[in-house]
Amino acid sequence: MTKSLGEDTSEGNAMQRLVFLGIGAIALAACQPDREAAPDTAESCGADALQHLVGEPRSAFESQNIDAPTRVLPPGSVMTMDHRLDRLNIDLDEEGQITRIWCG
């Protein structure tokens, strides 16, 4: 018995359903919202509260009570590229003045 082109077979239907189910699952997965990341702000390490020290000498920072992990970065310093929102970074210029306070 010869099947015509328009006839459905149970095997063919099962394969079509499987393909459509797979495509649907992929489409739904793509629509999922991104997981909420921690905010990348100066509040996450306390840098916002220390912005008044920008332009001051390094000694002004050293008199602060800081509990966060901290690194002081003179010009040309080598630093790791890992991004830690809880770490406070203090950039200094050649004269030891604070030029930037940031988290990362």
Side-chain angles (χ1 to χ4, degrees):
M1 175 173 180
T2 308
K3 295 179 184 169
S4 67
L5 208 53
E7 282 186 45
D8 288 331
T9 63
S10 60
E11 211 173 282
N13 279 340
M15 184 58 81
Q16 282 181 338
R17 287 184 187 142
L18 187 58
V19 169
F20 285 125
L21 259 171
I23 292 171
I26 291 170
L28 283 176
C31 293
Q32 295 297 317
D34 292 336
R35 298 200 188 272
E36 209 170 298
D40 189 6
T41 66
E43 296 173 6
S44 57
C45 71
D48 58 341
L50 298 171
Q51 293 303 310
H52 66 280
L53 296 175
V54 173
E56 298 292 324
R58 178 181 181 166
S59 59
F61 167 73
E62 290 170 348
S63 67
Q64 302 292 313
N65 259 345
I66 307 295
D67 291 332
T70 305
R71 62 181 173 184
V72 178
L73 303 162
S77 297
V78 176
M79 68 175 156
T80 60
M81 296 303 292
D82 62 321
H83 187 73
R84 292 184 47 194
L85 291 177
D86 66 327
R87 181 174 50 209
L88 182 66
N89 296 286
I90 311 295
D91 289 345
L92 302 176
D93 64 11
E94 291 79 14
E95 287 81 41
Q97 301 286 87
I98 298 171
T99 58
R100 181 178 172 212
I101 300 175
W102 52 286
C103 300

